[in-house]
Amino acid sequence: MRRAAKDRSAFSRRALLIGAGQGAVFVGIAARLYNLQITQHSKYALLAEQNSISERLVAPERGLITDRFGAILAGNQQHWRALFMQAMAPEPQTVLENFYKLVPLSDDEKARIAQDLKDRPGYIPVLLKDWLDWPDMAAIEVNTPNLPGIVVEAGSSRVYPLGPVAAHAVGYVGRPNQSEAKTDPVLALPGMRVGRTGAEDAQDSALRGTPGFVQTETNVHGEVVREVAHDNGTPGQTVTLALDAGLQQLAVQSLADNAGAVVMLDATTGEILALASTPSFDPSLFDRGVPTAVWNAWMADAKHPLQNKATSGLFAPGSTFKPTVALAAMKDGVLTADTRLTCPGFFKLGDHVFWCDNHTAHGTITVTQALTVSCDVFFYQVALMVGIDKIAAMGAKLGLGVDLGSDLPHVATGLVPTLDWARGRGIHWVQGSTVVQGIGQGYTQLTPLALATMIARIGAGAAVGPHITRRVGGVLQTGAAPGDWPALDIDDRHLAIVRQGLFDVVNNPQGTAYASRLQLPDVQMAGKTGTAQVHDNSAAEKQKNFNDMTMAWEQRPNALFVGFAPYDNPRYAIAVVIEHGNYGAQSAAPIAQAMMTYAIQNDPAGRDAPLTQPLQSPSPALPVNNT
Amino acid sequence: MILDDSLALRRPFRERSFGVVRKLGRVNWLFVLCVCLLAGVGYAALYSAAGGSAEPYAQSQIIRFCGMLVMMLGIAMVDIRLLAKLSWPAYGLGIALLLVVMLAGHTGLGAKRWIDLGPIEIQPSELMKLFLAMALADYFKRATPEQTGNPLYVLPMALAVLIPVGLILKEPNLGTAVITATIGATVMLGAGVRWWWFAIIVAIVAISAPVIYHHLHAYQKARIDIFLNPGADPLGAGYNIIQSKIALGSGGFFGQGYLHGTQNQLNFLPEKQTDFVFTIIAEEFGYLGSLAVLGLLFGIVALALHTALTCGHTYGRLLALGIGTNFFLYCFVNLSMVMGLIPVGGVPIPLISYGGSALTAVMLGFGVLQSIHVHRDVTFASPDDL
């Protein structure tokens, strides 16, 4: 029994020792669990968060924007970018140095990256380099083991094949800002863009599409282990603009180095066939980020490249306003086709002398003749007879000083003053103010788009509204057919009288734009020149010719031309404004001539496919006179 | 013998025959409670692993457990002396089963470990651990200190350990082989074999580790490599360790909430219903839940040790030590594996993990353990007894 007891106590000793060892192991396990679950909890919680099957929305491909014939004006291009997830890198600095060895970056970029890395929590990726080229990609791919945390992913960016040519019409896109992203969560998706100007803005919702989703399983290194499900969503719809890329190109070419705008409309539908504003800019820069130097240059440029002069540039219409004054007077009954007024070269109102252009005495003339030679004195008198309120009412019928209902964003309404307006602004309206109103000076301010609408309405006799969208997702939009627009609420006989005057402006050798008549058989353009003073000339200057080339550029008058063609069956309407271009006949009318010639020959209006052969070739019978 | 006496729970019984009711009274019910609680934890975890559904794991596992519980209590009623007599036949059966597995086993997960036995699959290596402990306990139950100090006396038992260990290694199942060897060593240590002999063996193994490593299977080498550097292949075999640690770590103190563990619910954990089931508890119930489960597991180990310490006969003492150690090693290997402390090795956590084989083996062991506990005061009829 004693031996048994001894054995038993020996066993107990050993068993207890083993038990103590096992207990110690449990304590060790508990301690290790404490370390993992409590001490390192935040680290692993973060990893768990990233380590998930996530259903992530993906930005849909933005819709294309094409001209009426399908030429791409705004498209998408895939590019690759390198991102850095610093939480995934044990030694971020070393990884960055390795990366810089492979993909050299400027010191500015490096400083930007260092700042981003400092500002952002570790799990938010920082952009290292956008637009990776193939050598960059290959270098990163091969060196992946040395670059933990560096991810290469695809992004889509907006490209504009015509570049600056259609920049104002097509517009550009930008990243959604904070408040936009809040109102529409889809906009918070990386890669989403919002149209900022032009058609990109006008048709933003159609272009945007519906987001798709990707279900991915990612590992702790932020790498996608596998894609569980993929749905590309619905790409944005293709938006077909009414623009004709050929006309657009020609407009920009014709404007050359000038600051100016050209708007060409289908006079029967209001479709915008060309909408140019110069100088222009490269719209793709906004997607990639505008370099500071470029931005500063834009801001410093007196010709304001970012401003869409066609829709938001406000110009005194000058003599292009005279048809409106004439129509207002005829409607009022104070003017008829036979009314004759005398122009001695000046008009005296009280002590004030209003000069006719070049101080020319036009003699006793009718309204048609007054338009042809652009007599100011005739219209000073007509304006006084009819009064500004009736002029403004007629302007409104023609689309001047009112909302045009255009689908383009940022269209300025402009102004045709009324007495009410003057009272509201505390302006003491004097007769002299009405006098200058007769020649489109003074307070009147209009956009080239409004002027084009005005001449389209006068030409075609329909109350068309200017619009740039022809089809969305292939569906023809209302307004694309001439029947969609009501007739203009103006007496046809009055319109005929004015049209006759406008015909003579271009086709009568006495007309101010005779040099710019179309060199085509059987087709004539009608139009009106304008030369609008932008500078309050001194008395001494008034004695001289006020549009002297010796004046500083920014003091020279703006040159304008509005016109339509063909005269006998108006289909195209145009407005050209050249800032500080001196005479409208001299710089604006030739552009209209070139544009109209192209339009008549290629006849894009109403067509979805270009002509294979020009309709009209220049007539050899007519002498070419292009000066 | 009056009825009252026969029902007295505290009365030491050395009689050959006694009633089942009285035996049931002598079962360690605290131990049974711990076992049932762990099975409950297992049910909850498996319910969660299936994304909040009793199908396909929790339901069938709890039914299996109930069957095993009945079996355990049934075995507990069997006289320990009868079981002792079956020790060596059982050992022989174990070896035979291991050989069958080698020759005609069912290949599961790249390793031949299973035998299809009608409705239940059994893993002979699991049974072998119990049978080995029984055989060793039987061999050493009358050993004197002189005998246990004699290498020639101990050597046959060293062979009795090494044969099954070798067969299990051949399966191949490194984890179970190491556990089997450790159980053998523990029982022998409890029997009085000099501790420094084991120290020498451990030293020899440590020195020859590179050689052993060389002869390991590629996947075994990979496990060790990955253990040493889990980041080397984060998407391959190291994936499990990393995902498992994330699941544990993201649990925090209170956990992410039942059925709300992202790692679990989003299926990041492979085989989460088997080897990695503990991560579900840790992720969803946090450190608090982990500690509770650890407490229950250690409770079972401690109660087994208590049985060993209070048993009146050497056979029971040694076997209880072996069974307790087996359970302890299951827990240790599984938990260490889940926490990335030792290489991954296909060892489930008993009573919680889904699967019949480990449960069967463990419950079988617990039955024997309770038989020891119930029959702690019996005497082994033998001239040399005690």
Side-chain angles (χ1 to χ4, degrees):
Chain A
M1 282 307 280
R2 190 178 295 159
R3 203 196 86 199
K6 199 176 153 196
D7 280 355
R8 192 170 171 170
S9 74
F11 170 81
S12 297
R13 208 165 49 238
R14 286 180 174 219
L16 280 172
L17 219 58
I18 290 167
Q22 293 175 349
V25 166
F26 268 96
V27 170
I29 287 170
R32 171 68 175 162
L33 275 174
Y34 184 87
N35 176 262
L36 283 175
Q37 298 199 268
I38 311 294
T39 314
Q40 299 193 64
H41 168 62
S42 52
K43 171 187 159 191
Y44 283 113
L46 176 61
L47 287 173
E49 204 170 286
Q50 293 170 349
N51 186 18
S52 51
I53 291 179
S54 53
E55 182 171 297
R56 156 173 85 83
L57 291 173
V58 287
E61 186 95 327
R62 195 170 169 83
L64 301 178
I65 298 178
T66 70
D67 85 341
R68 65 189 306 124
F69 301 136
I72 290 177
L73 302 176
N76 302 303
Q77 191 186 329
Q78 240 196 16
H79 71 269
W80 297 92
R81 55 193 175 203
L83 306 176
F84 184 40
M85 312 275 288
Q86 57 177 323
M88 301 310 171
E91 290 170 65
Q93 214 46 51
T94 319
V95 172
L96 274 186
E97 275 159 28
N98 290 341
F99 182 80
Y100 294 151
K101 270 180 222 150
L102 299 169
V103 183
L105 292 179
S106 69
D107 286 344
D108 281 0
E109 276 298 290
K110 287 181 187 173
R112 195 261 314 156
I113 290 165
Q115 191 59 43
D116 280 357
L117 289 174
K118 214 189 288 170
D119 291 349
R120 296 179 192 184
Y123 52 87
I124 301 280
V126 168
L127 178 72
L128 294 181
K129 189 169 191 262
D130 230 332
W131 297 87
L132 294 170
D133 54 22
W134 281 110
D136 288 345
M137 294 273 290
I140 295 169
E141 215 54 53
V142 167
N143 290 281
T144 306
N146 298 330
L147 302 168
I150 286 181
V151 183
V152 173
E153 66 162 39
S156 181
S157 50
R158 201 69 166 157
V159 283
Y160 300 94
L162 290 191
V165 168
H168 291 104
V170 175
Y172 55 84
V173 292
R175 279 153 217 239
N177 60 37
Q178 294 280 328
S179 60
E180 285 169 330
K182 249 177 227 165
T183 52
D184 186 354
V186 169
L187 290 180
L189 295 177
M192 275 311 270
R193 296 287 184 271
V194 176
R196 291 298 181 207
T197 63
E200 290 273 28
D201 187 359
Q203 295 298 329
D204 194 44
S205 54
L207 290 166
R208 232 181 248 174
T210 326
F213 64 86
V214 186
Q215 275 189 330
T216 48
E217 179 179 329
T218 50
N219 69 2
V220 289
H221 291 251
E223 294 157 341
V224 172
V225 180
R226 66 193 166 108
E227 208 168 82
V228 183
H230 194 125
D231 172 2
N232 275 327
T234 316
Q237 291 177 292
T238 296
V239 170
T240 308
L241 300 186
L243 287 186
D244 173 352
L247 271 173
Q248 182 71 24
Q249 294 251 16
L250 180 63
V252 172
Q253 269 170 29
S254 309
L255 283 166
D257 293 337
N258 289 303
V262 172
V263 176
M264 181 174 257
L265 302 180
D266 179 334
T268 63
T269 63
E271 280 191 337
I272 299 172
L273 297 167
L275 186 134
S277 173
T278 56
S280 190
F281 58 92
D282 180 359
S284 64
L285 286 179
F286 283 90
D287 198 8
R288 296 177 65 161
V290 180
T292 316
V294 172
W295 179 261
N296 290 341
W298 286 345
M299 290 299 109
D301 194 332
K303 294 180 176 177
H304 307 298
L306 290 183
Q307 189 199 18
N308 184 353
K309 296 177 180 72
T311 57
S312 56
L314 288 168
F315 304 94
S319 300
T320 62
F321 194 65
K322 286 173 183 170
T324 307
V325 178
L327 285 169
M330 284 190 273
K331 181 177 163 54
D332 195 37
V334 295
L335 183 72
T336 66
D338 303 325
T339 307
R340 290 174 175 272
L341 297 168
T342 302
C343 165
F346 63 88
F347 176 69
K348 235 179 150 175
L349 184 72
D351 291 341
H352 200 90
V353 176
F354 297 90
W355 293 98
C356 200
D357 188 29
N358 282 354
H359 306 196
T360 311
H362 292 107
T364 303
I365 51 175
T366 62
V367 61
T368 314
Q369 288 169 317
L371 285 168
T372 307
V373 297
S374 199
C375 174
D376 289 349
V377 171
F378 185 94
F379 284 97
Y380 292 150
Q381 297 169 65
V382 172
L384 275 180
M385 292 189 289
V386 66
I388 58 158
D389 280 357
K390 285 169 182 163
I391 293 172
M394 179 52 66
K397 286 188 183 189
L398 294 170
L400 303 180
V402 291
D403 182 359
L404 292 166
S406 171
D407 56 353
L408 279 172
H410 318 303
V411 174
T413 307
L415 173 71
V416 181
T418 60
L419 287 175
D420 274 349
W421 172 85
R423 266 193 293 276
R425 298 287 293 262
I427 293 166
H428 177 59
W429 195 266
V430 293
Q431 279 196 307
S433 306
T434 307
V435 168
V436 294
Q437 187 65 26
I439 61 160
Q441 294 278 176
Y443 294 106
T444 309
Q445 294 248 289
L446 297 166
T447 63
L449 187 68
L451 291 173
T453 307
M454 176 267 288
I455 201 67
R457 288 182 180 185
I458 290 174
V464 296
H467 58 280
I468 199 163
T469 310
R470 180 167 169 80
R471 291 174 188 274
V472 175
V475 178
L476 201 64
Q477 302 293 290
T478 313
D484 295 342
W485 300 98
L488 198 60
D489 176 27
I490 296 174
D491 195 317
D492 278 343
R493 288 165 299 177
H494 301 162
L495 284 174
I497 293 163
V498 169
R499 283 183 198 138
Q500 180 61 49
L502 298 177
F503 177 83
D504 286 344
V505 168
V506 183
N507 299 289
N508 186 319
Q510 290 183 326
T512 51
Y514 181 66
S516 297
R517 69 194 179 281
L518 297 185
Q519 307 296 326
L520 297 167
D522 310 326
V523 179
Q524 290 85 36
M525 173 168 70
K528 184 71 198 82
T529 55
T531 305
Q533 194 180 317
V534 294
H535 170 67
D536 197 5
N537 304 66
S538 65
E541 282 169 331
K542 279 176 186 165
Q543 294 303 315
K544 303 193 301 174
N545 195 349
F546 78 92
N547 41 21
D548 194 308
M549 286 299 280
T550 58
M551 291 166 87
W553 177 78
E554 67 275 8
Q555 293 187 355
R556 294 177 202 162
N558 291 334
L560 299 96
F561 183 87
V562 296
F564 63 88
Y567 171 71
D568 47 11
N569 182 25
R571 191 69 209 253
Y572 299 97
I574 192 168
V576 180
V577 177
I578 311 265
E579 284 191 67
H580 314 297
N582 275 327
Y583 285 112
Q586 176 194 346
S587 51
I591 293 177
Q593 181 200 31
M595 292 287 289
M596 279 301 183
T597 302
Y598 183 100
I600 300 293
Q601 285 176 337
N602 294 285
D603 200 29
R607 290 182 201 282
D608 288 316
L611 289 172
T612 46
Q613 261 195 316
L615 280 182
Q616 298 257 357
S617 43
S619 163
L622 282 166
V624 174
N625 187 349
N626 226 352
T627 45
Chain B
M1 188 181 299
I2 57 167
L3 192 66
D4 283 344
D5 276 358
S6 68
L7 281 173
L9 296 183
R10 297 187 186 288
R11 183 183 157 209
F13 61 95
R14 292 164 190 271
E15 298 86 341
R16 278 195 63 87
S17 65
F18 22 74
V20 168
V21 175
R22 201 167 151 208
K23 279 193 181 181
L24 279 176
R26 289 175 67 90
V27 166
N28 188 345
W29 288 105
L30 183 60
F31 182 92
V32 176
L33 179 68
C34 284
V35 168
C36 289
L37 283 175
L38 276 172
V41 169
Y43 185 89
L46 293 175
Y47 187 85
S48 176
S53 160
E55 295 295 333
Y57 311 126
Q59 183 80 34
S60 54
Q61 186 70 10
I62 203 75
I63 289 168
R64 199 146 44 191
F65 171 76
C66 290
M68 292 299 159
L69 190 66
V70 172
M71 180 199 74
M72 176 189 119
L73 291 171
I75 293 173
M77 300 302 104
V78 179
D79 195 322
I80 189 64
R81 286 163 295 194
L82 177 61
L83 293 173
K85 279 181 188 147
L86 293 174
S87 294
W88 283 102
Y91 178 81
L93 177 70
I95 297 292
L97 287 175
L98 283 176
L99 287 169
V100 169
V101 152
M102 242 179 83
L103 299 173
H106 171 71
T107 302
L109 295 171
K112 283 182 184 174
R113 297 172 187 173
W114 309 82
I115 291 179
D116 255 321
L117 213 73
I120 330 169
E121 277 190 332
I122 57 163
Q123 203 173 345
S125 54
E126 302 280 2
L127 294 177
M128 194 63 233
K129 290 185 285 185
L130 175 64
F131 296 160
L132 176 67
M134 286 168 75
L136 292 178
D138 192 59
Y139 186 79
F140 286 109
K141 68 175 186 276
R142 293 188 191 89
T144 61
E146 291 74 32
Q147 283 170 320
T148 54
N150 179 359
L152 287 175
Y153 182 76
V154 175
L155 196 63
M157 287 308 99
L159 283 175
V161 173
L162 288 178
I163 290 167
V165 167
L167 286 171
I168 294 166
L169 262 182
K170 199 79 189 156
E171 273 185 9
N173 188 343
L174 183 62
T176 308
V178 171
I179 290 177
T180 310
T182 310
I183 290 167
T186 310
V187 174
M188 285 160 81
L189 202 63
V193 176
R194 304 297 178 268
W195 65 268
W196 46 267
W197 293 3
F198 299 101
I200 288 169
I201 290 168
V202 168
I204 289 169
V205 169
I207 290 161
S208 57
V211 182
I212 293 171
Y213 177 83
H214 187 73
H215 288 287
L216 289 175
H217 283 264
Y219 88 96
Q220 291 171 323
K221 281 185 196 174
R223 278 179 178 172
I224 292 174
D225 290 346
I226 286 150
F227 166 69
L228 295 174
N229 184 13
D233 180 16
L235 298 188
Y239 181 79
N240 291 10
I241 296 176
I242 292 170
Q243 297 306 327
S244 162
K245 280 166 81 171
I246 291 171
L248 297 177
S250 60
F253 191 76
F254 293 107
Q256 297 193 22
Y258 188 49
L259 302 180
H260 287 95
T262 53
Q263 291 289 106
N264 167 31
Q265 301 300 334
L266 297 175
N267 285 317
F268 273 97
L269 292 162
E271 299 174 55
K272 60 182 177 184
Q273 76 279 13
T274 58
D275 292 4
F276 288 89
V277 73
F278 182 78
T279 58
I280 295 176
I281 299 155
E283 186 185 17
E284 302 195 339
F285 295 104
Y287 189 57
L288 222 54
S290 305
L291 274 191
V293 172
L294 278 186
L296 285 172
L297 292 171
F298 184 67
I300 285 175
V301 171
L303 288 170
L305 190 68
H306 170 254
T307 298
L309 290 172
T310 55
C311 183
H313 43 86
T314 311
Y315 179 79
R317 289 202 289 264
L318 293 179
L319 187 49
L321 184 66
I323 291 167
T325 301
N326 182 27
F327 187 81
F328 163 77
L329 287 172
Y330 266 120
C331 302
F332 170 66
V333 173
N334 181 273
L335 292 174
S336 304
M337 168 186 88
V338 162
M339 291 184 297
L341 291 173
I342 64 165
V344 181
V347 174
I349 188 156
L351 302 171
I352 302 175
S353 287
Y354 179 74
S357 184
L359 182 71
T360 310
V362 164
M363 292 300 278
L364 214 59
F366 285 171
V368 175
L369 184 73
Q370 285 313 301
S371 171
I372 295 165
H373 195 78
V374 169
H375 304 92
R376 56 188 178 271
D377 298 324
V378 297
T379 52
F380 278 68
S382 160
D384 295 326
D385 186 44
L386 299 178

